[in-house]
Amino acid sequence: METKSVQPGNTIPLLTPYKMGKFDLSHRVVLAPLTRQRSYNNVPQPHAILYYSQRTTRRGLLIAEATGISNTAQGYPMTPGIWTKEQVEAWKPIVDAVHAKGGIFFCQIWHVGRVSNSGFQPNGQPPISCTDKPLTPQIRANGVDVAEFTPPRRLKTDEIPQIVDHFRIAARNAMEAGFDGVEIHGAHGYLIDQFMKDQVNDRTDQYGGSLENRCRFALEVVEAVVNEIGADRVGIRLSPFADYMESGDSNPKELGLYMAESLNRSGILYCHMVEPRMKTVNEKCECPHSLLPMRKAFKGTFIVAGGYDREDGNKAVAEDRADLVAFGRLFLANPDLPKRFELNAPLNKYNRHTFYTPDPVVGYTDYPFLETQN
């Protein structure tokens, strides 16, 4: 399994090759999906060509930022979509740039559910969810602004298949744009997570109550996407332990294990799990083995994410707790992150204040590479 790195005598687990289905990865460092809010009018922009290509290595895996599946999927300014022809066409040169450097590029498809307000919705209507329970106002990532949420409209039972179909069409559109696959966003308090978590889901139909019923929507989405583009091109991101956007669960271990086992039936390529230590933005606990039952249960590639650095990423791979490790903030600020890991070089510090600005350069494509530093 292990191969020698450039440095003689040293094996860096994160930089060993890995076969993910039909994709031969040259290393195990993954670009996590990162919302950057620079897609004006929900259309990907040319400046994303440089952003993603900067972070591309030959046969490295990148997961694109969360991308809306429909005009009801939005909850943040300037996030990209993939439900219109214009959006699909705008993605094509971005995907081409990643492929030109030998990268493997997956599109994360997304619906925010109740994490929205009527200003983001067509005709000013309420956002949709599994529930009509409102979300309390939240302090935004900048620590200053407050996000207000419109009370959601509970989806009727016979409306749910249409939302499943929107995920299917988004996956088809991602293939049309040239992506290598899709990651279904089932984490962090957004629509799929809202259905799964008993803190949110208060339904009494076949999509609520028991664990099986609460996971039904997620698994129907997976099935629809698999039937459209093939299981070998599908991943899912889950965060059973997280309580983002008031989406906690009374038994996250049971939820995570049930999903890991159920996903095996569809034979999807990978499961991308978020560590319980990342429960809130500023909270981190050390619980390195919490995902092990899910890791052991899931038959495909297992990706972990959540505050990893070089040392504990290497340890997770070396101890076989993960096949791949996704990095967010570190990759955002260090476009050459795998090279820096190889050399154990210093890392650029990320600037949280520029994570979500609309600027096409600042905090986006201006983080320096090793060779441009003094």
Side-chain angles (χ1 to χ4, degrees):
M1 183 180 95
E2 293 188 339
T3 59
K4 295 294 183 184
S5 76
V6 174
Q7 295 171 294
N10 280 336
T11 298
I12 302 172
L14 282 170
L15 299 182
T16 55
Y18 175 77
K19 187 168 177 58
M20 182 179 77
K22 60 187 173 186
F23 302 105
D24 291 312
L25 304 181
S26 61
H27 59 78
R28 297 163 188 255
V29 179
V30 178
L31 174 67
L34 298 168
T35 291
R36 303 308 313 272
Q37 295 183 207
R38 288 163 166 88
S39 295
Y40 313 143
N41 298 314
N42 305 122
V43 177
Q45 296 296 306
H47 46 250
I49 295 171
L50 179 59
Y51 172 74
Y52 282 110
S53 62
Q54 282 180 334
R55 287 155 183 79
T56 302
T57 54
R58 185 171 170 273
R59 294 188 289 115
L61 175 62
L62 297 83
I63 306 169
E65 61 208 275
T67 301
I69 62 166
S70 71
N71 62 355
T72 68
Q74 308 302 304
Y76 299 87
M78 293 179 283
T79 52
I82 198 159
W83 72 90
T84 72
K85 182 70 173 171
E86 181 188 11
Q87 291 164 339
V88 172
E89 291 301 315
W91 272 116
K92 286 181 178 179
I94 303 167
V95 177
D96 288 347
V98 170
H99 285 159
K101 292 183 70 175
I104 294 147
F105 204 12
F106 273 53
C107 181
Q108 190 189 63
I109 53 177
W110 185 42
H111 195 301
V112 301
R114 69 174 183 166
V115 187
S116 186
N117 64 56
S118 56
F120 290 105
Q121 298 298 313
N123 306 313
Q125 64 196 34
I128 56 174
S129 181
C130 63
T131 183
D132 55 13
K133 289 190 290 190
L135 192 58
T136 56
Q138 309 271 330
I139 300 292
R140 291 195 186 277
N142 63 13
V144 178
D145 298 327
V146 177
E148 302 277 353
F149 305 101
T150 303
R153 179 180 71 80
R154 184 192 304 268
L155 283 164
K156 297 173 185 172
T157 308
D158 62 4
E159 291 178 299
I160 292 174
Q162 182 183 31
I163 310 302
V164 173
D165 203 49
H166 288 162
F167 275 96
R168 178 189 68 80
I169 294 168
R172 184 180 69 197
N173 288 346
M175 294 300 99
E176 168 66 21
F179 283 101
D180 297 292
V182 301
E183 176 176 286
I184 298 162
H185 197 340
H188 294 159
Y190 300 117
L191 183 62
I192 291 174
D193 205 30
Q194 289 160 31
F195 271 87
M196 286 192 288
K197 301 287 184 64
D198 60 14
Q199 185 178 328
V200 184
N201 189 334
D202 56 359
R203 302 180 73 91
T204 56
D205 62 0
Q206 65 262 41
Y207 292 95
S210 69
L211 179 60
E212 180 182 5
N213 282 357
R214 284 183 281 116
C215 293
R216 187 183 307 276
F217 175 60
L219 294 171
E220 285 180 353
V221 169
V222 170
E223 181 182 19
V225 170
V226 163
N227 288 342
E228 183 65 35
I229 68 170
D232 58 343
R233 294 183 179 276
V234 179
I236 191 170
R237 193 179 213 205
L238 300 171
S239 60
F241 294 93
D243 52 11
Y244 290 116
M245 296 299 173
E246 299 167 14
S247 292
D249 193 80
S250 61
N251 194 337
K253 290 180 181 178
E254 184 185 28
L255 170 61
L257 192 57
Y258 177 82
M259 282 299 294
E261 291 170 343
S262 300
L263 290 167
N264 288 329
R265 294 199 297 269
S266 64
I268 63 170
L269 182 64
Y270 73 75
C271 181
H272 182 181
M273 282 270 190
V274 180
E275 289 281 2
R277 61 185 177 182
M278 299 303 290
K279 285 184 70 174
T280 63
V281 173
N282 297 311
E283 176 185 340
K284 183 172 176 177
C285 64
E286 291 305 324
C287 34
H289 302 291
S290 299
L291 297 180
L292 263 182
M294 294 137 224
R295 160 45 161 186
K296 290 177 178 176
F298 183 67
K299 301 284 196 292
T301 293
F302 198 75
I303 306 176
V304 295
Y308 278 89
D309 57 21
R310 181 182 188 270
E311 181 182 0
D312 54 12
N314 279 326
K315 196 171 180 186
V317 172
E319 294 177 356
D320 199 32
R321 288 186 279 113
D323 298 308
L324 308 173
V325 181
F327 295 86
R329 289 164 292 186
L330 294 188
F331 222 149
L332 181 158
N334 298 273
D336 52 353
L337 188 65
K339 173 61 70 174
R340 288 175 189 258
F341 281 170
E342 177 190 315
L343 302 174
N344 201 12
L347 300 180
N348 299 324
K349 290 184 168 55
Y350 57 82
N351 181 357
R352 188 180 293 277
H353 296 295
T354 60
F355 281 2
Y356 308 112
T357 66
D359 195 290
V361 175
V362 177
Y364 192 56
T365 55
D366 60 348
Y367 283 101
F369 288 73
L370 276 171
E371 58 266 27
T372 62
Q373 291 185 320
N374 293 326

